[in-house]
Amino acid sequence: MTCTCIRNVNRQLRASGAQLTTLTPRDADGRATRAPRVLVRAENVNPLKRRPPIAVATHCPFCGTRYKD
């Protein structure tokens, strides 16, 4: 990862007992392939519809730095 925003925001959120939801991409053998990425979740407003998709950010939502592939 090229920025420390996730770590910094989690440090600030820790005081209120919260943290960002992240995903660490893994290869077929279960080894981490990249640094953690922030997950972007949508709220399901209609319970009769399928669950909304989960999007994984390609850029830091806080500073805009592109994550390394």
Side-chain angles (χ1 to χ4, degrees):
M1 181 170 307
T2 57
C3 69
T4 58
C5 292
I6 293 174
R7 192 173 334 134
N8 294 340
V9 170
N10 276 338
R11 190 177 311 123
Q12 294 170 2
L13 290 173
R14 199 172 299 131
S16 62
Q19 69 179 11
L20 295 173
T21 301
T22 59
L23 167 77
T24 303
R26 301 190 180 277
D27 64 14
D29 295 326
R31 293 183 300 240
T33 58
R34 295 183 226 145
R37 308 258 179 128
V38 173
L39 292 181
V40 181
R41 294 183 185 254
E43 181 181 355
N44 191 2
V45 295
N46 184 346
L48 301 177
K49 299 281 183 175
R50 290 182 14 192
R51 290 178 45 180
I54 296 174
V56 179
T58 58
H59 291 71
C60 175
F62 304 102
C63 69
T65 302
R66 181 171 175 76
Y67 292 134
K68 293 180 181 178
D69 288 336

Coordinates of all heavy atoms in Angstrom, one line a residue:
M1 N 0.9 -1.2 0.0 CA 0.0 0.0 0.0 C 0.9 1.2 0.0 O 2.0 1.2 0.6 CB -0.9 0.0 1.2 CG -1.8 1.2 1.3 SD -3.1 1.1 2.5 CE -3.8 -0.5 2.1
T2 N 0.5 2.3 -0.7 CA 1.3 3.5 -0.8 C 0.9 4.5 0.2 O 1.6 5.5 0.3 CB 1.1 4.0 -2.2 OG1 -0.2 4.3 -2.4 CG2 1.7 3.1 -3.2
C3 N -0.1 4.3 1.0 CA -0.5 5.3 2.0 C -0.7 4.6 3.4 O -0.8 3.4 3.4 CB -1.7 6.2 1.6 SG -3.2 5.2 1.6
T4 N -0.9 5.4 4.4 CA -1.1 4.8 5.7 C -2.5 5.2 6.3 O -2.7 5.1 7.5 CB 0.0 5.3 6.7 OG1 0.0 6.7 6.8 CG2 1.3 4.8 6.3
C5 N -3.4 5.6 5.4 CA -4.7 6.1 5.8 C -5.5 5.1 6.6 O -6.1 5.4 7.6 CB -5.5 6.6 4.6 SG -4.8 8.1 3.8
I6 N -5.5 3.8 6.1 CA -6.3 2.8 6.8 C -5.8 2.7 8.3 O -6.6 2.7 9.2 CB -6.3 1.4 6.1 CG1 -7.0 1.5 4.8 CG2 -6.9 0.3 7.0 CD1 -6.9 0.3 3.9
R7 N -4.5 2.6 8.5 CA -3.9 2.5 9.8 C -4.3 3.7 10.6 O -4.6 3.6 11.8 CB -2.4 2.3 9.7 CG -1.7 1.9 10.9 CD -0.3 1.6 10.7 NE 0.1 1.2 9.4 CZ 1.1 1.6 8.7 NH1 1.9 2.5 9.2 NH2 1.3 1.2 7.5
N8 N -4.1 4.9 10.0 CA -4.4 6.1 10.8 C -5.9 6.3 11.2 O -6.2 6.6 12.3 CB -4.0 7.3 10.0 CG -2.5 7.4 9.8 OD1 -1.7 6.8 10.5 ND2 -2.0 8.1 8.8
V9 N -6.8 6.0 10.2 CA -8.2 6.1 10.5 C -8.6 5.0 11.6 O -9.3 5.3 12.5 CB -9.0 6.0 9.3 CG1 -10.5 5.8 9.6 CG2 -8.8 7.1 8.3
N10 N -8.1 3.8 11.5 CA -8.4 2.8 12.5 C -7.9 3.2 13.9 O -8.6 2.9 14.9 CB -7.8 1.4 12.1 CG -8.8 0.7 11.1 OD1 -9.9 1.0 11.1 ND2 -8.2 -0.2 10.4
R11 N -6.8 3.8 13.9 CA -6.2 4.3 15.2 C -7.2 5.3 15.8 O -7.5 5.3 17.0 CB -4.9 4.9 15.0 CG -4.1 5.2 16.3 CD -2.7 5.8 16.1 NE -2.0 5.0 15.2 CZ -1.4 5.5 14.1 NH1 -1.5 6.8 13.8 NH2 -0.7 4.8 13.3
Q12 N -7.8 6.2 15.0 CA -8.7 7.2 15.5 C -10.0 6.6 15.9 O -10.7 7.0 16.8 CB -8.9 8.3 14.4 CG -7.7 9.1 14.2 CD -7.8 10.0 13.0 OE1 -8.8 10.1 12.3 NE2 -6.7 10.7 12.6
L13 N -10.5 5.6 15.1 CA -11.8 4.9 15.4 C -11.7 4.0 16.6 O -12.7 3.8 17.2 CB -12.2 4.1 14.2 CG -12.6 4.9 12.9 CD1 -12.9 3.9 11.8 CD2 -13.9 5.7 13.2
R14 N -10.5 3.5 16.9 CA -10.4 2.6 18.0 C -10.9 3.2 19.3 O -11.5 2.4 20.2 CB -8.9 2.3 18.2 CG -8.7 1.0 19.0 CD -7.2 0.6 19.1 NE -6.7 0.3 17.7 CZ -5.6 0.8 17.2 NH1 -4.8 1.6 17.9 NH2 -5.2 0.5 16.0
A15 N -10.8 4.5 19.5 CA -11.4 5.1 20.8 C -12.9 4.9 20.9 O -13.4 4.8 22.0 CB -11.1 6.6 20.7
S16 N -13.6 4.8 19.8 CA -15.0 4.5 19.8 C -15.4 3.1 19.6 O -16.6 2.7 19.5 CB -15.7 5.4 18.8 OG -15.3 5.1 17.5
G17 N -14.4 2.2 19.6 CA -14.6 0.8 19.5 C -15.0 0.4 18.1 O -15.7 -0.6 17.9
A18 N -14.6 1.1 17.1 CA -14.9 0.8 15.7 C -13.6 0.6 14.8 O -12.5 0.9 15.3 CB -15.7 1.9 15.1
Q19 N -13.8 0.1 13.6 CA -12.7 0.0 12.7 C -13.2 -0.1 11.3 O -14.4 -0.4 11.1 CB -11.8 -1.2 13.0 CG -12.4 -2.5 12.7 CD -11.4 -3.6 13.0 OE1 -10.4 -3.4 13.6 NE2 -11.8 -4.8 12.6
L20 N -12.4 0.2 10.3 CA -12.8 0.1 8.9 C -12.9 -1.4 8.5 O -12.2 -2.2 9.1 CB -11.8 0.7 8.0 CG -11.6 2.2 8.1 CD1 -10.4 2.7 7.3 CD2 -12.9 2.9 7.7
T21 N -13.8 -1.7 7.6 CA -13.9 -3.1 7.1 C -12.9 -3.2 5.9 O -13.0 -2.4 5.0 CB -15.3 -3.4 6.6 OG1 -16.2 -3.3 7.7 CG2 -15.4 -4.8 6.1
T22 N -12.0 -4.1 6.0 CA -11.0 -4.3 4.9 C -11.0 -5.7 4.4 O -11.5 -6.6 5.0 CB -9.6 -3.9 5.4 OG1 -9.2 -4.7 6.5 CG2 -9.5 -2.4 5.9
L23 N -10.4 -5.8 3.3 CA -10.2 -7.1 2.6 C -8.7 -7.3 2.2 O -8.2 -6.3 1.7 CB -11.1 -7.2 1.4 CG -10.8 -8.4 0.4 CD1 -11.4 -9.7 1.0 CD2 -11.4 -8.1 -0.9
T24 N -8.1 -8.4 2.5 CA -6.8 -8.7 2.0 C -6.9 -9.7 0.9 O -7.2 -10.9 1.2 CB -5.9 -9.2 3.2 OG1 -5.9 -8.2 4.2 CG2 -4.5 -9.4 2.7
P25 N -6.6 -9.3 -0.3 CA -6.7 -10.3 -1.4 C -5.7 -11.4 -1.2 O -4.6 -11.2 -0.7 CB -6.3 -9.5 -2.6 CG -6.6 -8.1 -2.3 CD -6.3 -8.0 -0.8
R26 N -6.1 -12.7 -1.5 CA -5.3 -13.9 -1.3 C -5.3 -14.7 -2.6 O -6.2 -14.7 -3.4 CB -5.8 -14.7 -0.2 CG -5.8 -13.9 1.1 CD -6.1 -14.8 2.3 NE -6.1 -14.0 3.5 CZ -5.0 -13.7 4.2 NH1 -3.8 -14.0 3.8 NH2 -5.1 -13.0 5.3
D27 N -4.2 -15.4 -2.8 CA -4.0 -16.3 -4.0 C -4.7 -17.6 -3.7 O -5.3 -17.9 -2.6 CB -2.6 -16.4 -4.4 CG -1.7 -17.1 -3.4 OD1 -2.2 -17.7 -2.4 OD2 -0.5 -17.0 -3.6
A28 N -4.6 -18.6 -4.6 CA -5.2 -19.9 -4.5 C -4.7 -20.7 -3.3 O -5.4 -21.5 -2.7 CB -5.0 -20.7 -5.8
D29 N -3.4 -20.4 -2.9 CA -2.8 -21.1 -1.7 C -3.2 -20.4 -0.4 O -2.7 -20.8 0.6 CB -1.3 -21.2 -1.9 CG -0.9 -22.0 -3.1 OD1 -1.7 -23.0 -3.3 OD2 0.1 -21.7 -3.7
G30 N -3.9 -19.3 -0.4 CA -4.3 -18.6 0.8 C -3.3 -17.6 1.3 O -3.4 -17.0 2.3
R31 N -2.2 -17.3 0.5 CA -1.2 -16.3 0.8 C -1.7 -14.9 0.4 O -2.3 -14.8 -0.7 CB 0.1 -16.6 0.1 CG 0.7 -17.9 0.6 CD 2.1 -18.0 0.0 NE 1.9 -18.1 -1.5 CZ 2.2 -19.1 -2.3 NH1 2.8 -20.2 -1.7 NH2 2.0 -19.1 -3.5
A32 N -1.5 -13.9 1.2 CA -1.8 -12.5 0.9 C -1.1 -12.1 -0.3 O 0.1 -12.3 -0.4 CB -1.5 -11.6 2.1
T33 N -1.8 -11.5 -1.3 CA -1.2 -11.1 -2.5 C -1.0 -9.6 -2.6 O -0.2 -9.1 -3.4 CB -2.1 -11.5 -3.7 OG1 -3.4 -10.9 -3.6 CG2 -2.2 -13.0 -3.8
R34 N -1.7 -8.9 -1.8 CA -1.6 -7.4 -1.8 C -1.9 -6.9 -0.4 O -2.4 -7.6 0.5 CB -2.6 -6.8 -2.8 CG -2.4 -7.1 -4.2 CD -3.4 -6.4 -5.1 NE -3.9 -7.4 -6.0 CZ -5.1 -7.4 -6.5 NH1 -6.0 -6.5 -6.1 NH2 -5.5 -8.3 -7.4
A35 N -1.7 -5.6 -0.2 CA -2.0 -5.0 1.0 C -3.5 -4.9 1.2 O -4.3 -5.0 0.2 CB -1.4 -3.6 1.1
P36 N -4.0 -4.7 2.4 CA -5.5 -4.6 2.7 C -6.1 -3.4 1.8 O -5.4 -2.4 1.6 CB -5.6 -4.3 4.2 CG -4.3 -4.8 4.7 CD -3.3 -4.6 3.7
R37 N -7.3 -3.7 1.4 CA -8.1 -2.7 0.7 C -9.3 -2.4 1.5 O -9.9 -3.2 2.1 CB -8.5 -3.2 -0.7 CG -7.3 -3.7 -1.5 CD -6.9 -2.7 -2.5 NE -5.8 -3.2 -3.3 CZ -5.8 -3.3 -4.6 NH1 -6.9 -2.9 -5.3 NH2 -4.8 -3.7 -5.3
V38 N -9.8 -1.1 1.4 CA -11.1 -0.8 2.1 C -12.2 -1.3 1.3 O -12.3 -1.2 0.1 CB -11.2 0.8 2.2 CG1 -12.5 1.2 2.7 CG2 -10.1 1.3 3.1
L39 N -13.2 -1.9 2.0 CA -14.4 -2.4 1.3 C -15.4 -1.3 1.3 O -15.6 -0.6 2.3 CB -15.0 -3.6 2.1 CG -14.2 -4.9 2.0 CD1 -14.9 -6.0 2.8 CD2 -13.9 -5.3 0.6
V40 N -16.2 -1.2 0.3 CA -17.3 -0.2 0.2 C -18.6 -1.0 0.1 O -18.8 -1.8 -0.7 CB -17.1 0.7 -1.1 CG1 -18.3 1.7 -1.1 CG2 -15.8 1.4 -1.1
R41 N -19.4 -0.8 1.1 CA -20.6 -1.6 1.2 C -21.8 -0.7 1.0 O -21.9 0.4 1.5 CB -20.8 -2.3 2.6 CG -19.7 -3.3 2.9 CD -19.9 -3.9 4.2 NE -18.9 -4.8 4.5 CZ -19.0 -6.2 4.4 NH1 -20.1 -6.7 4.1 NH2 -17.9 -6.9 4.7
A42 N -22.8 -1.3 0.2 CA -24.0 -0.6 0.0 C -25.1 -1.1 0.9 O -25.1 -2.3 1.2 CB -24.5 -0.7 -1.5
E43 N -26.0 -0.3 1.3 CA -27.1 -0.8 2.2 C -28.3 -1.3 1.3 O -28.7 -0.7 0.4 CB -27.6 0.4 3.0 CG -28.7 0.1 4.0 CD -29.2 1.2 4.8 OE1 -28.5 2.3 4.7 OE2 -30.1 1.1 5.5
N44 N -28.8 -2.4 1.7 CA -30.0 -3.0 1.0 C -31.2 -2.3 1.5 O -31.6 -2.5 2.7 CB -30.0 -4.5 1.3 CG -31.0 -5.2 0.3 OD1 -31.6 -4.6 -0.5 ND2 -31.1 -6.5 0.5
V45 N -31.9 -1.5 0.7 CA -33.1 -0.8 1.1 C -34.4 -1.6 0.8 O -35.4 -1.3 1.3 CB -33.1 0.6 0.5 CG1 -32.0 1.4 1.1 CG2 -33.1 0.6 -1.0
N46 N -34.3 -2.6 0.0 CA -35.4 -3.4 -0.4 C -35.1 -4.9 -0.1 O -34.4 -5.5 -0.8 CB -35.8 -3.2 -1.9 CG -37.0 -4.0 -2.3 OD1 -37.5 -4.8 -1.6 ND2 -37.5 -3.7 -3.5
P47 N -35.7 -5.4 1.0 CA -35.4 -6.8 1.4 C -35.8 -7.8 0.4 O -35.4 -9.0 0.5 CB -36.1 -6.9 2.7 CG -37.2 -5.9 2.7 CD -36.7 -4.8 1.9
L48 N -36.7 -7.5 -0.6 CA -37.1 -8.4 -1.6 C -36.0 -8.6 -2.7 O -36.1 -9.5 -3.5 CB -38.4 -8.0 -2.2 CG -39.6 -7.9 -1.1 CD1 -40.8 -7.5 -1.8 CD2 -39.8 -9.3 -0.4
K49 N -35.1 -7.7 -2.8 CA -34.1 -7.7 -3.8 C -32.9 -8.5 -3.3 O -32.7 -8.7 -2.1 CB -33.7 -6.3 -4.2 CG -34.8 -5.5 -4.8 CD -35.0 -5.8 -6.2 CE -36.1 -4.9 -6.8 NZ -36.3 -5.1 -8.2
R50 N -32.0 -8.9 -4.2 CA -30.8 -9.5 -3.8 C -29.9 -8.6 -3.0 O -30.0 -7.4 -3.1 CB -30.0 -10.0 -5.1 CG -30.7 -11.1 -5.8 CD -29.9 -11.6 -7.0 NE -28.5 -11.1 -7.1 CZ -27.8 -11.2 -8.1 NH1 -28.2 -11.7 -9.2 NH2 -26.5 -10.7 -8.1
R51 N -28.9 -9.2 -2.3 CA -28.0 -8.3 -1.6 C -27.2 -7.5 -2.5 O -26.8 -7.9 -3.6 CB -27.0 -9.2 -0.8 CG -27.7 -9.9 0.4 CD -26.8 -10.8 1.1 NE -25.5 -10.2 1.4 CZ -24.5 -10.7 2.0 NH1 -24.7 -12.0 2.5 NH2 -23.4 -10.1 2.2
P52 N -26.9 -6.2 -2.2 CA -26.1 -5.4 -3.1 C -24.7 -5.9 -3.2 O -24.2 -6.6 -2.3 CB -26.2 -4.0 -2.4 CG -26.4 -4.3 -1.0 CD -27.3 -5.6 -0.9
P53 N -24.0 -5.6 -4.3 CA -22.6 -6.0 -4.4 C -21.7 -5.3 -3.5 O -22.0 -4.2 -3.0 CB -22.3 -5.7 -5.9 CG -23.2 -4.5 -6.2 CD -24.4 -4.8 -5.4
I54 N -20.5 -6.0 -3.2 CA -19.5 -5.3 -2.4 C -18.4 -4.8 -3.4 O -18.0 -5.6 -4.3 CB -18.9 -6.4 -1.4 CG1 -19.9 -6.8 -0.4 CG2 -17.7 -5.8 -0.7 CD1 -19.5 -7.9 0.5
A55 N -18.0 -3.6 -3.2 CA -17.0 -3.0 -4.1 C -15.7 -2.9 -3.3 O -15.7 -2.5 -2.1 CB -17.5 -1.6 -4.6
V56 N -14.6 -3.2 -3.9 CA -13.3 -3.0 -3.3 C -12.7 -1.8 -4.0 O -12.5 -1.7 -5.2 CB -12.4 -4.3 -3.5 CG1 -11.1 -4.1 -2.9 CG2 -13.1 -5.5 -2.9
A57 N -12.3 -0.8 -3.1 CA -11.7 0.4 -3.7 C -10.3 0.1 -4.3 O -9.5 -0.7 -3.8 CB -11.5 1.4 -2.5
T58 N -10.1 0.8 -5.4 CA -8.8 0.7 -6.1 C -7.9 1.9 -5.7 O -6.7 1.9 -6.0 CB -8.9 0.7 -7.6 OG1 -9.6 1.9 -8.0 CG2 -9.6 -0.6 -8.1
H59 N -8.5 3.0 -5.1 CA -7.8 4.1 -4.6 C -8.2 4.4 -3.2 O -9.4 4.0 -2.8 CB -8.2 5.4 -5.5 CG -7.7 5.4 -6.8 ND1 -8.2 4.5 -7.8 CD2 -6.8 6.1 -7.4 CE1 -7.6 4.7 -8.9 NE2 -6.7 5.7 -8.7
C60 N -7.4 4.9 -2.4 CA -7.7 5.2 -1.0 C -8.8 6.2 -1.0 O -8.7 7.3 -1.6 CB -6.5 5.8 -0.3 SG -6.8 6.3 1.4
P61 N -9.9 5.9 -0.3 CA -11.0 6.9 -0.2 C -10.7 8.1 0.6 O -11.5 9.1 0.6 CB -12.2 6.0 0.4 CG -11.5 5.0 1.2 CD -10.2 4.7 0.5
F62 N -9.6 8.1 1.3 CA -9.3 9.3 2.2 C -8.3 10.2 1.5 O -8.5 11.4 1.6 CB -8.7 8.8 3.5 CG -9.7 7.9 4.2 CD1 -9.5 6.5 4.2 CD2 -10.8 8.4 4.8 CE1 -10.4 5.6 4.8 CE2 -11.7 7.5 5.5 CZ -11.5 6.1 5.4
C63 N -7.3 9.7 0.8 CA -6.3 10.6 0.2 C -6.2 10.5 -1.3 O -5.6 11.3 -2.0 CB -4.9 10.4 0.8 SG -4.2 8.8 0.3
G64 N -6.9 9.5 -1.9 CA -6.9 9.3 -3.3 C -5.7 8.6 -3.9 O -5.7 8.4 -5.2
T65 N -4.8 8.1 -3.1 CA -3.6 7.4 -3.7 C -4.1 6.0 -4.2 O -4.9 5.3 -3.6 CB -2.6 7.2 -2.5 OG1 -2.2 8.5 -2.0 CG2 -1.4 6.4 -3.1
R66 N -3.6 5.7 -5.4 CA -4.0 4.4 -6.0 C -3.2 3.3 -5.3 O -2.1 3.4 -5.0 CB -3.6 4.4 -7.5 CG -3.9 3.1 -8.2 CD -3.7 3.2 -9.7 NE -3.9 1.9 -10.3 CZ -5.1 1.4 -10.6 NH1 -6.2 2.0 -10.2 NH2 -5.2 0.2 -11.2
Y67 N -4.0 2.2 -4.9 CA -3.4 1.1 -4.3 C -2.5 0.3 -5.3 O -2.8 0.3 -6.5 CB -4.4 0.1 -3.8 CG -5.3 0.6 -2.6 CD1 -6.7 0.5 -2.6 CD2 -4.7 1.2 -1.5 CE1 -7.4 1.0 -1.6 CE2 -5.4 1.7 -0.5 CZ -6.8 1.6 -0.5 OH -7.5 2.0 0.6
K68 N -1.4 -0.2 -4.8 CA -0.6 -1.1 -5.7 C -1.3 -2.3 -6.1 O -2.0 -2.9 -5.2 CB 0.7 -1.4 -5.0 CG 1.6 -0.2 -4.7 CD 2.9 -0.6 -4.0 CE 3.8 0.6 -3.8 NZ 5.0 0.2 -3.0
D69 N -1.1 -2.8 -7.3 CA -1.7 -4.0 -7.7 C -0.9 -5.2 -7.4 O 0.3 -5.2 -7.1 CB -1.9 -4.0 -9.2 CG -3.0 -3.1 -9.6 OD1 -3.9 -2.8 -8.8 OD2 -3.0 -2.6 -10.8

